[in-house]
Amino acid sequence: MAGGEESRLFQGRPSSDHSDERSVEEEDALLTGQKQQRPSSWAKWREIGLFAWAVIATALVILFAVLYQHQQQQPPTPPGGTGGGKDGKQMTGKRNLIFMVSDGMGPTSLSLTRSFRQAQTGLPIDDVLVLDHHLIGTSRTRSTSSLITDSAAGATAFSCGKKSYNGAISVLPNGEPCGTVLEAAKRAGYMTGLVVTTRITDATPACFAAHVNQREEEDSIAEQEVGEGPLGRVLDLMIGGGRCHFLPNTTEGSCRHDDRDIVDLAKKNGFSYVNDRKGFDGLNMGSEVKLPLLGLFADTDIPYEVDRRNMDDVYPSLDEMARTALKALQDATEDSDKGFFLMIEGSRIDHAGHGNDPVAQVHEVLAYDKAFASVLDFLDQDGVDGVMVGTSDHETGGLATARQLHSTYPEYHWFPSVLANASRSAENLAYQLRDHIAGKHIPLDTSIKTPPRSPHPLPHPHPHPHPETAPSPAPDPKAPNEHSSSLITTTTTPPPPGTNDKELASYIRTEILSHGLGIHDPTPEEINRLLHASSPSHPSQPFSYILADLISRRAQVGWSTHGHSAADVNVYASDKKVVEGLWGARENTEVGGWLVGFLGVGGEVGAVEADLRGGWGR
């Protein structure tokens, strides 16, 4: 073929990136005798569409997986109401804040109590505590002076949002007072209140309305709580125990070191005062309260719930006191553009831990759970937006729902039904045993010298340059500390001639162990432990510790200490959406910072601190 003809032959056949591919297809057709179909434009677009759909579907799967994982990480929505903003709206304007403290309650306290409740009443395993539905995170608890905090430093983290040393009542390591959320709320126009089952001058309540460098200064705390100090009165309501620190030392039942009458001072500052069950009933669950109110219903601590329920005509319950406070503050703020701040403490969960008493522990947690539920009901029914946050200052006792009794490998058991057989706390039974011994003419030696106390409202800064290595302050025998109620010691003089150990052993076996703890099979060694505790020839050991150990061993409940532990504690809330800033693992100071932020009183905190430091010359 001539070159020109070849050139004309290929005219009109445009070059293509796919010409080689087509040539291969044409060769295949010649060899096989079969016509090859060239892909149409529709087929190409179909392939492109399938590829695009695969990309989109993969992206959607990834997106849904991420959203599902995020949803699983959120706190579960509690059954029933949330106790938060009305109609699911974010809170604006007037609001109420209830802060609940379960003193000494760690995660194992919940496991112990949950299983006890289910075993006692035959409930299914999914019938859990109200608290269980409102868990949102955990809190780390260390103080500046120790990896293991006390209630004073723990509550200072809540009230001031700052770390301090063990023993500090809203005072920083440099000795300066820190403004509290309650004091700031009062300055901003909120009403304020405290409800506890221990002394109202104890560490946790004190940290919201007083400032001293050592928690033992309960006389000074009482004075500040009724309005003596640079800030004047910051509390509108106080309900709990601790009457002894408000009475002059010339009065029966007083534990003050001076003759000041703080009840009288409170009345001069406008407080109404009630001090017994009849007076409490007259408050009509809050509808007949005249604020400000001082209600002190025990000389020191209100009895454990397991014992109080048998003395209901003498002492109100935590739930009753909480509902009374909520109603009183609700009515008082009805016409105000501000709401209220209320701190409610289940105080004696901590004491049960100090005493290693599982019977007292489960009943205290159940009482707290009941009050918790009442707060949720209040928030759901109230016309004002509000939220409740709850947590513990620390764990007490190193509690374990397991106990190895022998050197051989243990069986995996613990027995909640053993606790159900007990009708009274080890503390209460120890008092009964002590009184029985005293009735047999074995007098108790209670003569202890009382150390002098500082007269200053705000003591000097911590004297030790390194508080974490400083020795603990000498205990004040007249002022109960956070675990004194469980330490029923028995320093005795020799029994008079003729005292019958057999009679005492019989009393212990029948009245204390069988009737009180439901222990019907005590060993001779166990009886002897209690007999020896009452004997001057043996080292003194608290009766309550021995009794608590007897029932703990039978229930196979373990304890590692009579003090606190460094365990993280749970954080709870009524409305998970409102408290998103507290989800997950947090420092205890973050809880305190959140309280201030929710009420919007950050500016007032600074003003309060300026007044405190100016008023005390700091």
Side-chain angles (χ1 to χ4, degrees):
M1 182 181 292
E5 292 176 351
E6 183 179 356
S7 176
R8 286 193 298 272
L9 179 63
F10 286 97
Q11 286 181 359
R13 291 185 67 185
S15 177
S16 169
D17 292 337
H18 304 291
S19 6
D20 290 340
E21 179 181 337
R22 287 201 299 270
S23 296
V24 172
E25 293 173 352
E26 289 168 357
E27 291 175 3
D28 288 343
L30 290 171
L31 291 171
T32 62
Q34 295 180 354
K35 185 179 180 179
Q36 299 294 316
Q37 298 292 331
R38 295 180 183 178
S40 66
S41 60
W42 179 87
K44 291 180 181 179
W45 283 110
R46 178 173 176 272
E47 291 176 1
I48 293 172
L50 289 173
F51 176 77
W53 170 246
V55 171
I56 294 171
T58 302
L60 288 172
V61 169
I62 294 172
L63 177 62
F64 284 129
V66 170
L67 290 174
Y68 177 79
Q69 184 178 16
H70 177 70
Q71 181 66 27
Q72 293 301 305
Q73 291 174 345
Q74 294 186 17
T77 301
T82 62
K86 305 305 173 187
D87 303 321
K89 298 178 181 178
Q90 190 69 21
M91 297 183 192
T92 58
K94 184 176 180 179
R95 64 191 63 183
N96 299 323
L97 175 57
I98 298 108
F99 181 52
M100 297 191 71
V101 179
S102 45
D103 197 319
M105 186 179 81
T108 310
S109 297
L110 275 295
S111 177
L112 184 87
T113 305
R114 186 186 308 115
S115 296
F116 168 79
R117 175 176 171 269
Q118 291 168 349
Q120 185 184 39
T121 54
L123 298 172
I125 61 173
D126 59 349
D127 193 323
V128 295
L129 302 171
V130 177
L131 284 159
D132 290 320
H133 296 295
H134 293 269
L135 177 66
I136 63 164
T138 60
S139 168
R140 300 183 290 273
T141 63
R142 66 176 295 170
S143 69
T144 62
S145 61
S146 176
L147 290 172
I148 300 177
T149 189
D150 79 331
S151 293
T156 295
F158 301 146
S159 65
C160 293
K162 297 176 181 178
K163 296 277 189 181
S164 196
Y165 58 89
N166 288 356
I169 301 294
S170 292
V171 173
L172 301 179
N174 63 3
E176 292 188 339
C178 52
T180 75
V181 60
L182 184 147
E183 293 165 338
K186 184 62 179 175
R187 176 160 297 205
Y190 290 87
M191 301 290 278
T192 62
L194 302 173
V195 174
V196 300
T197 53
T198 184
R199 307 173 308 285
I200 201 71
T201 53
D202 200 14
T204 302
C207 281
F208 288 87
H211 305 268
V212 295
N213 277 61
Q214 289 296 332
R215 58 181 296 168
E216 289 79 16
E217 292 292 326
E218 294 192 47
D219 287 0
S220 177
I221 291 168
E223 295 158 10
Q224 293 179 51
E225 286 179 335
V226 300
E228 188 172 86
L231 302 180
R233 181 177 64 80
V234 297
L235 280 165
D236 297 296
L237 177 146
M238 287 182 281
I239 302 178
R243 189 167 51 231
C244 68
H245 285 288
F246 291 78
L247 302 176
N249 61 5
T250 55
T251 304
E252 183 179 356
S254 171
C255 58
R256 287 189 65 84
H257 291 81
D258 58 33
D259 61 357
R260 295 198 67 189
D261 188 336
I262 308 305
V263 171
D264 184 62
L265 176 62
K267 291 177 179 178
K268 289 178 180 178
N269 288 341
F271 281 91
S272 58
Y273 175 61
V274 290
N275 65 348
D276 56 21
R277 181 74 206 212
K278 181 179 179 181
F280 178 82
D281 291 342
L283 302 177
N284 197 21
M285 295 304 293
S287 63
E288 300 294 332
V289 169
K290 178 181 178 297
L291 296 179
L293 171 69
L294 174 63
L296 303 174
F297 303 108
D299 285 342
T300 55
D301 305 319
I302 292 174
Y304 286 128
E305 179 61 22
V306 66
D307 304 315
R308 189 213 63 81
R309 62 186 181 177
N310 299 317
M311 298 178 276
D312 188 61
D313 59 335
V314 180
Y315 304 102
S317 68
L318 175 63
D319 181 60
E320 289 176 301
M321 294 188 292
R323 288 191 288 135
T324 295
L326 289 167
K327 173 61 175 173
L329 293 174
Q330 178 189 47
D331 289 351
T333 57
E334 183 177 5
D335 298 324
S336 171
D337 61 351
K338 298 287 186 181
F340 62 79
F341 172 79
L342 174 64
M343 193 283 290
I344 301 171
E345 183 188 35
S347 317
R348 301 210 64 197
I349 301 170
D350 174 65
H351 292 189
H354 282 295
N356 290 181
D357 186 345
V359 175
Q361 176 94 172
V362 294
H363 287 280
E364 288 301 299
V365 174
L366 286 173
Y368 180 79
D369 193 60
K370 183 177 181 180
F372 188 97
S374 290
V375 170
L376 294 176
D377 289 343
F378 171 84
L379 289 169
D380 284 334
Q381 296 167 14
D382 189 26
V384 177
D385 284 343
V387 70
M388 178 271 293
V389 171
T391 189
S392 304
D393 46 1
H394 53 75
E395 192 274 346
T396 304
L399 173 63
T401 46
R403 184 161 184 159
Q404 184 160 345
L405 300 176
H406 310 288
S407 59
T408 56
Y409 194 80
E411 294 184 11
Y412 296 157
H413 291 298
W414 88 270
F415 305 103
S417 59
V418 172
L419 308 185
N421 293 332
S423 60
R424 294 161 66 185
S425 71
E427 173 186 287
N428 183 276
L429 291 168
Y431 278 125
Q432 178 180 329
L433 181 55
R434 180 201 63 182
D435 292 344
H436 178 79
I437 293 172
K440 293 298 180 181
H441 311 294
I442 305 178
L444 300 177
D445 182 4
T446 57
S447 59
I448 305 175
K449 279 190 176 180
T450 301
R453 289 164 65 90
S454 167
H456 305 293
L458 189 67
H460 295 294
H462 201 286
H464 201 279
H466 302 289
E468 67 275 8
T469 61
S472 300
D476 179 352
K478 287 194 73 178
N481 59 32
E482 68 184 328
H483 54 85
S484 63
S485 59
S486 297
L487 292 173
I488 305 170
T489 57
T490 54
T491 305
T492 63
T493 57
T499 299
N500 191 341
D501 276 353
K502 288 185 178 180
E503 187 280 332
L504 181 56
S506 176
Y507 182 86
I508 289 172
R509 185 178 294 105
T510 303
E511 299 298 327
I512 303 299
L513 298 181
S514 181
H515 293 170
L517 291 182
I519 294 176
H520 308 296
D521 58 347
T523 66
E525 291 77 15
E526 290 172 331
I527 298 295
N528 285 335
R529 284 180 68 189
L530 290 162
L531 288 174
H532 290 174
S534 67
S535 170
S537 62
H538 291 79
S540 176
Q541 183 180 18
F543 281 142
S544 59
Y545 280 14
I546 299 172
L547 294 171
D549 181 61
L550 297 187
I551 196 163
S552 290
R553 291 177 66 86
R554 283 167 169 77
Q556 290 188 204
V557 171
W559 306 87
S560 65
T561 178
H562 282 289
H564 300 170
S565 78
D568 291 355
V569 294
N570 292 343
V571 180
Y572 304 90
S574 58
D575 189 331
K576 65 176 184 179
K577 296 177 182 178
V578 176
V579 299
E580 184 175 354
L582 294 178
W583 292 359
R586 303 285 179 169
E587 283 294 330
N588 53 7
T589 50
E590 293 182 76
V591 176
W594 189 91
L595 299 177
V596 169
F598 176 80
L599 292 178
V601 294
E604 284 79 4
V605 168
V608 165
E609 288 182 346
D611 285 352
L612 287 170
R613 294 167 187 178
W616 272 308
R618 295 302 173 105

